[in-house]
Amino acid sequence: MPQWLLNRLFESKDQPKPTFAIQGTINWMRALSEVVNSDEFSDEITNDIYKKVQRRPKNEGADTLVFENMLMAYHNLASLDSLDKDVSHKYDVIRSAIVSWYYSTYFAASAMVAASSGSQQETHTATAKVWHSDFAEKGLLPYPFNLCLSTLVGKDVKSQIKTLRAGNSYTLNVHSTNLDEAKGACLSYLSGTADYKKWEVEERVKASRDFKNLGVDNFKTKAAQSLRDDALNKGQVNYLFQAFRYRGKANYRDSIFLSYGNSYEDKMDLFVSDLKDVTSAFVRVASIYCQKRVVKGDWELFISDLEENTRLTLPVNIMKI
């Protein structure tokens, strides 16, 4: 009885083909890793972006949030480091590795938000929105973490993606081996996430009272299109929204694709290593920014304290400025 479980899932819900789903999962992380390990990503580039960032007035509560979130980012990165180094069969831990990647990213971004505005959001979506306005829209991120869209209107997304591509025709079908391939794949994932977010918004609009009052079931009328486009125009895509979608595919929606069917054993070791490299790069960016915002000298006290008291095996050098 070949692939009994897969057939059963196909019968019960819209289940993506495992081969297609895992290809995009592996290739996006490969592309990000290719960039952060290139000459186009460095402390010098990040420091240049943040050279005008001013230390804020003393805010102990907000600074404590920064340190707490960076500790959690560091802990999840340490988990990912151990999964990379200490596990021989990566298929066994691949979902856990993606979850560690996501939460390290999320906590590092939360630390950045706390360092920027002193705020703490109640949901992951709210954090992504504040991070969008505080960093993505202000150009306060290095490539590739700066890739973003501030609308979900279809024609505008296509126009912006075309501009960003600047003739680059590579897509997420490529397992990147150079920067051009990596940049094309990154833009494909940005575009794909925009399509997904657009679908989410359209579903919310269809469920709204205003839409139901129109007495229609699609967006063919001008009134329905106006409702939809008003909502889409407020939509956003950034690295955090992409990360949230990525984690959701691994942890909830596409249940079967990471551990079933065709073998990608030859790419799994590199995949976990890519997850770690990309996480390390993002944590580094957050560290450089946060150090510039907290009380002078406190970042160094934070690092010294971890060096003395952490029980984790991962050196804290990634956060040392």
Side-chain angles (χ1 to χ4, degrees):
M1 189 178 297
Q3 298 192 323
W4 175 87
L5 178 58
L6 180 62
N7 292 331
R8 182 159 183 151
L9 288 172
F10 269 124
E11 291 172 359
S12 65
K13 64 176 184 177
D14 182 19
Q15 175 70 37
K17 294 180 180 179
T19 300
F20 177 79
I22 199 168
Q23 178 177 298
T25 299
I26 291 173
N27 289 354
W28 185 52
M29 202 54 55
R30 174 87 285 274
L32 292 171
S33 182
E34 188 74 33
V35 175
V36 302
N37 284 307
S38 76
D39 291 339
E40 295 198 13
F41 187 92
S42 66
D43 280 1
E44 290 74 22
I45 291 172
T46 302
N47 277 312
D48 188 58
I49 291 170
Y50 294 144
K51 63 185 177 183
K52 294 184 179 180
V53 170
Q54 301 294 310
R55 199 173 303 279
R56 68 171 171 208
K58 186 175 182 180
N59 187 334
E60 288 190 3
D63 284 1
T64 299
L65 280 176
V66 171
F67 297 129
E68 181 180 20
N69 279 294
M70 287 306 296
L71 172 64
M72 294 299 289
Y74 164 58
H75 195 149
N76 279 280
L77 177 56
S79 299
L80 190 50
D81 183 62
S82 291
L83 293 174
D84 181 37
K85 293 189 306 187
D86 301 338
V87 177
S88 59
H89 188 70
K90 294 302 193 289
Y91 265 115
D92 291 339
V93 298
I94 194 60
R95 289 187 199 278
S96 299
I98 290 174
V99 170
S100 294
W101 164 83
Y102 173 76
Y103 276 103
S104 188
T105 301
Y106 170 72
F107 282 118
S110 296
M112 294 175 76
V113 169
S116 173
S117 60
S119 64
Q120 182 177 27
Q121 309 306 311
E122 296 298 324
T123 67
H124 291 221
T125 298
T127 299
K129 288 182 177 180
V130 175
W131 191 79
H132 190 89
S133 60
D134 284 0
F135 295 95
E137 287 189 324
K138 292 180 180 178
L140 289 176
L141 295 164
Y143 187 87
F145 305 124
N146 65 342
L147 290 173
C148 66
L149 299 165
S150 294
T151 180
L152 295 175
V153 175
K155 61 181 179 60
D156 295 331
V157 169
K158 288 181 180 179
S159 175
Q160 290 181 34
I161 293 292
K162 183 178 180 179
T163 299
L164 289 169
R165 279 198 175 277
N168 186 317
S169 60
Y170 291 108
T171 70
L172 206 59
N173 294 329
V174 174
H175 193 247
S176 305
T177 60
N178 59 57
L179 268 176
D180 282 343
E181 292 175 351
K183 290 178 178 180
C186 286
L187 290 171
S188 283
Y189 201 82
L190 183 71
S191 178
T193 303
D195 287 341
Y196 176 74
K197 296 292 292 182
K198 179 175 180 287
W199 172 81
E200 281 190 328
V201 170
E202 288 175 345
E203 290 302 300
R204 285 199 300 271
V205 170
K206 287 178 180 178
S208 69
R209 179 177 297 177
D210 288 342
F211 182 84
K212 291 178 179 178
N213 286 341
L214 295 176
V216 297
D217 58 5
N218 56 50
F219 296 111
K220 293 182 178 180
T221 66
K222 287 186 177 180
Q225 290 172 12
S226 178
L227 277 179
R228 178 197 62 189
D229 289 348
D230 284 346
L232 290 175
N233 202 39
K234 299 173 185 175
Q236 305 160 329
V237 182
N238 59 42
Y239 184 63
L240 280 193
F241 282 121
Q242 291 179 91
F244 189 73
R245 175 193 178 211
Y246 193 86
R247 189 279 304 255
K249 285 171 66 64
N251 225 29
Y252 301 108
R253 293 191 300 275
D254 303 349
S255 60
I256 204 169
F257 79 101
L258 284 170
S259 56
Y260 186 96
N262 294 339
S263 173
Y264 292 87
E265 199 83 40
D266 58 327
K267 293 181 179 178
M268 277 298 148
D269 285 350
L270 180 59
F271 178 49
V272 176
S273 179
D274 285 342
L275 285 165
K276 183 179 72 172
D277 286 354
V278 173
T279 307
S280 298
F282 192 79
V283 169
R284 185 68 182 167
V285 169
S287 298
I288 291 172
Y289 177 80
C290 291
Q291 187 270 346
K292 290 179 175 291
R293 293 288 287 169
V294 299
V295 169
K296 188 175 183 179
D298 277 7
W299 189 264
E300 291 71 23
L301 291 175
F302 169 61
I303 297 300
S304 295
D305 182 58
L306 286 182
E307 288 179 323
E308 180 178 351
N309 293 303
T310 185
R311 303 278 70 85
L312 302 175
T313 60
L314 179 69
V316 299
N317 293 345
I318 192 67
M319 298 187 293
K320 188 179 289 187
I321 309 303

